[in-house]
Amino acid sequence: MAVGSMNVEEGTKAFPAKLTFQVFLCCVIAAVGGLMFGYDIGISGGVTSMDTFLLDFFPHVYEKKHRVHENNYCKFDDQLLQLFTSSLYLAGIFASFIASYVSRAFGRKPTIISASVFFLVGAILNLSAQNLGMLIGGRILLGFGIGFGNQTVPLFISEIAPARFRGGLNVMFQFLITIGILAASYVNYLTSTLKNGWRYSLGGAAVPALILLIGSFFIHETPASLIERGKDEKGKQVLRKIRGVEDIELEFNEIKYATEVSTKVKSPFKELFTNRENRPPLVCGTLLQFFQQFTGINVVMFYAPVLFQTMGSGNNASLISTVVTNGVNAIATIISLVMVDLAGRKCLLVEGAIQMTVTQMTIGGILLAHLKLVGPITGHAVPLIVLVLICIYVSGFAWSWGPLGWLVPSEIYPLEVRNAGYFCAVGMNMVCTFIIGQFFLSALCRFRSFLFFFFGVMNIIMGLFVVFYLPETKGVPVEEMAEKRWKTHSRWKKYFKD
C-alpha cells in the first residue's frame, strides 16, 4: 500500500520510491524506542520531588527540603539523589558502544528487540525496589535499553525511509520522546498523592518496553544491513516491499557499492578516526549532540518539578506546571514533523538557537531579581511568567535541536563507519546527559540563576556553528552525502582527496 510518491531533490540520483505503509509502520514501531527514552526523562524529575520517594530512599533530602530557612537553590543538592537520575546515562554510554557492534554484526532489528528487553527488566526491578542498590541496578538496566535503542532506532529509520521523507519519519523518534515525557509527567501527577506512588511511576516504564518488544517482531530489517551481511536477495526483496516499486536496481546498486566498501573496513572505529574524509561528519555529528544537551533542555526535562518547587510552587502545582510544559513540547514537535523536509535542517536549528537564547537569558534575569537565597520568591506572578518563558523555550527546542540532534547524525556517515560514527554521537549525548543529571542540582546550588546565562551563551555558540559548519542535508540520499554535501562545503572540502 503506497501512501505517497517522491522525487529526490535535484542534483541527486532519483531512486524510484513511494512512501509505503510498510515503511510508515516500521518507522512508527521503531520510534517507540523514543517513547521509552522520553518516559524515563520525564519520570525521574517527578519521582525525585515526591515526599514518599524521598522518605523511603533519601530521608536527609526530605528533611532539607522542608526546612524553612534552607537555601532555595540548594534544597535538592545531593549526589546520591542525582546518581538516581544520572546512573542510567552512564550505563547508556557503555551500552551504546556494545550496540554499535551488535547492530553491524546481527542487524538493526535484533538490537532494537534487545533494547526493549533490557528496558522491561529494568522497569520491573525499579517497581519492586526495596533498597537503593535495587533502585540503581534497575536504572542501569534501563540505561542498557536506552543505549541500545538510541544507538539503533534513528539509524534504522534513516536507512529504511525514502530520502525525501527521511526527515519527517526520523522526527517521529523525537516526537515519541516528547509523548513519553508528557505521559510520564501526567503519571507523576496522578501518583504523587498515592502511598508508594513512585512505584507506579517507575513501573510504568514497562508499558513502552512491551509495545516495542511486541512491535519489533513486525518490522523489516533494513536493506543496507541485510546487504552488508551478505543477504543480497533478501535485501532486494525487502527493498521492493518498502519502496512499493519493482525498479529498485539503482538504489540496490548504490547500497551494494557502499557495503562493498564497508566490508573492506575491518575496524570501523580505526577507519573513523584515521581517515580524514570521515572527520567532517564526525565533528558535526558529535558536536550536534554535545550542543543538544547544553541547550539546557534536560535541566527542564529532568528537574522541572524541582525548579518550580524551588520557586515556591507546591508539589501539585509544580507537577501541573510540568504537565503543561511537556504538553507544549509534544505539540511543538509536530511543527518539526511538517517543516523539516520543507524548510530544511539548518533553518530550524538556527531559529531554535535564537529562541532558546532569548528565553534562557530572560529566565536567568528574572530569577536573579526575584528569587533570593532564603524565603519565598518576590512577586506572585513570577512563577507564571517563568512557566510561560519555559514553554516558549521548550517549543524552540522541540522543533529544532530536539529532533534534529538525532536526525542529522543518523544521515551523514558513510556505511562503513555509520555505526561507529553514530556511537560517537550517542555516546556524546549520554556523557553530557550524565553530567547534567549528576551535577545540575549541585551547580544550581553554587551558581544559582547565573547557570541560565551559561546555557544562553551556549545557545549562541551552537547557532553560529550551524551557520558556518553544517551543510544542509535535506533530500539527499544517505549514500550520496559525501559527494553532494561534504565535498562541496567550503569549510570541509579540503578533507577530501578530489
Side-chain angles (χ1 to χ4, degrees), residues 190 231 266 279 313 320 349 363 442:
L190 294 178
K231 301 179 180 181
K266 302 304 178 185
R279 200 164 301 167
S313 301
I320 291 172
L349 286 169
I363 291 169
S442 298

Side-chain angles (χ1 to χ4, degrees), residues 293-357:
Q293 294 311 301
F294 279 90
T295 59
I297 188 62
N298 278 339
V299 169
V300 176
M301 294 297 104
F302 286 160
Y303 297 122
V306 171
L307 281 172
F308 288 122
Q309 285 192 36
T310 296
M311 291 185 293
S313 301
N315 189 50
N316 274 351
S318 70
L319 289 172
I320 291 172
S321 297
T322 305
V323 172
V324 172
T325 302
N326 293 334
V328 170
N329 188 23
I331 293 169
T333 304
I334 297 174
I335 296 174
S336 185
L337 277 167
V338 175
M339 294 302 297
V340 67
D341 287 317
L342 296 174
R345 284 57 159 161
K346 291 187 69 169
C347 176
L348 292 179
L349 286 169
V350 172
E351 190 283 329
I354 294 170
Q355 187 168 327
M356 290 186 290
T357 298

Side-chain angles (χ1 to χ4, degrees), residues 35-47 50 176-192 197 200-202 204-205 208 301 305 319 322-323 326-327:
L35 189 66
M36 295 194 315
F37 188 31
Y39 186 86
D40 183 80
I41 290 173
I43 214 70
S44 55
V47 166
M50 291 182 186
L176 287 184
I177 289 178
T178 66
I179 295 298
I181 295 171
L182 177 61
S185 60
Y186 188 63
V187 168
N188 277 336
Y189 173 69
L190 294 178
T191 61
S192 61
Y200 301 111
S201 292
L202 296 179
M301 294 297 104
L319 289 172
T322 305
V323 172
N326 293 334

Side-chain angles (χ1 to χ4, degrees), residues 2 49 62 114 147 160 166 255 261 294 297 317 326 356 363 382 395 408 413 442 456 467 469 490 496:
S49 71
Y62 173 82
S114 300
I160 210 164
R166 186 177 65 239
I255 296 172
V261 174
F294 279 90
I297 188 62
N326 293 334
M356 290 186 290
I363 291 169
V382 171
S395 67
V408 175
Y413 290 100
S442 298
V467 170
Y469 288 96
S490 60
F496 295 86

Side-chain angles (χ1 to χ4, degrees), residues 40 44-45 48 78-93 136 139-140 142-143 302-303 429-441:
D40 183 80
S44 55
T48 53
D78 183 82
Q79 288 299 308
L80 280 177
L81 179 63
Q82 292 172 103
L83 183 63
F84 164 74
T85 297
S86 65
S87 57
L88 181 150
Y89 301 96
L90 201 58
I93 299 167
I136 300 299
R139 295 289 292 173
I140 290 172
L142 290 172
F302 286 160
Y303 297 122
N429 176 281
M430 296 294 175
V431 168
C432 294
T433 306
F434 169 77
I435 292 170
I436 296 291
Q438 184 63 38
F439 299 110
F440 169 70
L441 293 179

Side-chain angles (χ1 to χ4, degrees), residues 176-478:
L176 287 184
I177 289 178
T178 66
I179 295 298
I181 295 171
L182 177 61
S185 60
Y186 188 63
V187 168
N188 277 336
Y189 173 69
L190 294 178
T191 61
S192 61
T193 57
L194 300 178
K195 183 180 180 181
N196 292 326
W198 61 267
R199 291 190 185 276
Y200 301 111
S201 292
L202 296 179
V207 175
L210 278 171
I211 295 172
L212 183 61
L213 178 59
I214 295 169
S216 294
F217 291 98
F218 296 94
I219 64 177
H220 297 291
E221 183 57 270
T222 70
S225 178
L226 289 167
I227 297 167
E228 185 179 26
R229 290 179 289 125
K231 301 179 180 181
D232 288 11
E233 288 306 313
K234 180 65 174 176
K236 280 187 175 182
Q237 180 184 343
V238 171
L239 200 55
R240 287 192 182 95
K241 186 175 291 187
I242 64 175
R243 294 293 178 255
V245 296
E246 289 297 317
D247 182 16
I248 47 86
E249 289 303 319
L250 188 61
E251 185 172 3
F252 172 80
N253 290 334
E254 186 86 7
I255 296 172
K256 182 66 177 176
Y257 173 75
T259 58
E260 287 173 354
V261 174
S262 174
T263 52
K264 293 176 183 177
V265 176
K266 302 304 178 185
S267 176
F269 282 95
K270 182 180 179 181
E271 175 71 12
L272 178 67
F273 290 110
T274 58
N275 187 339
R276 279 172 54 86
E277 293 187 0
N278 292 321
R279 200 164 301 167
L282 176 62
V283 170
C284 288
T286 306
L287 281 182
L288 279 174
Q289 282 289 359
F290 171 82
F291 287 135
Q292 186 200 58
Q293 294 311 301
F294 279 90
T295 59
I297 188 62
N298 278 339
V299 169
V300 176
M301 294 297 104
F302 286 160
Y303 297 122
V306 171
L307 281 172
F308 288 122
Q309 285 192 36
T310 296
M311 291 185 293
S313 301
N315 189 50
N316 274 351
S318 70
L319 289 172
I320 291 172
S321 297
T322 305
V323 172
V324 172
T325 302
N326 293 334
V328 170
N329 188 23
I331 293 169
T333 304
I334 297 174
I335 296 174
S336 185
L337 277 167
V338 175
M339 294 302 297
V340 67
D341 287 317
L342 296 174
R345 284 57 159 161
K346 291 187 69 169
C347 176
L348 292 179
L349 286 169
V350 172
E351 190 283 329
I354 294 170
Q355 187 168 327
M356 290 186 290
T357 298
V358 173
T359 49
Q360 287 275 29
M361 294 289 194
T362 308
I363 291 169
I366 289 174
L367 293 184
L368 181 64
H370 293 279
L371 185 61
K372 308 306 178 184
L373 292 182
V374 179
I377 197 166
T378 59
H380 296 296
V382 171
L384 179 60
I385 294 170
V386 172
L387 173 61
V388 171
L389 287 169
I390 286 178
C391 287
I392 296 171
Y393 162 80
V394 166
S395 67
F397 176 86
W399 60 54
S400 61
W401 287 84
L404 302 186
W406 295 104
L407 167 61
V408 175
S410 75
E411 61 186 3
I412 59 177
Y413 290 100
L415 183 60
E416 62 268 22
V417 295
R418 189 169 296 155
N419 279 297
Y422 198 65
F423 161 73
C424 292
V426 174
M428 178 61 75
N429 176 281
M430 296 294 175
V431 168
C432 294
T433 306
F434 169 77
I435 292 170
I436 296 291
Q438 184 63 38
F439 299 110
F440 169 70
L441 293 179
S442 298
L444 181 65
C445 178
R446 286 156 181 79
F447 298 106
R448 303 190 290 276
S449 58
F450 291 100
L451 203 56
F452 293 91
F453 293 111
F454 166 77
F455 287 123
V457 171
M458 288 300 299
N459 281 293
I460 295 172
I461 294 171
M462 63 199 221
L464 293 173
F465 174 81
V466 169
V467 170
F468 293 109
Y469 288 96
L470 186 70
E472 179 56 69
T473 59
K474 180 187 74 169
V476 182
V478 290

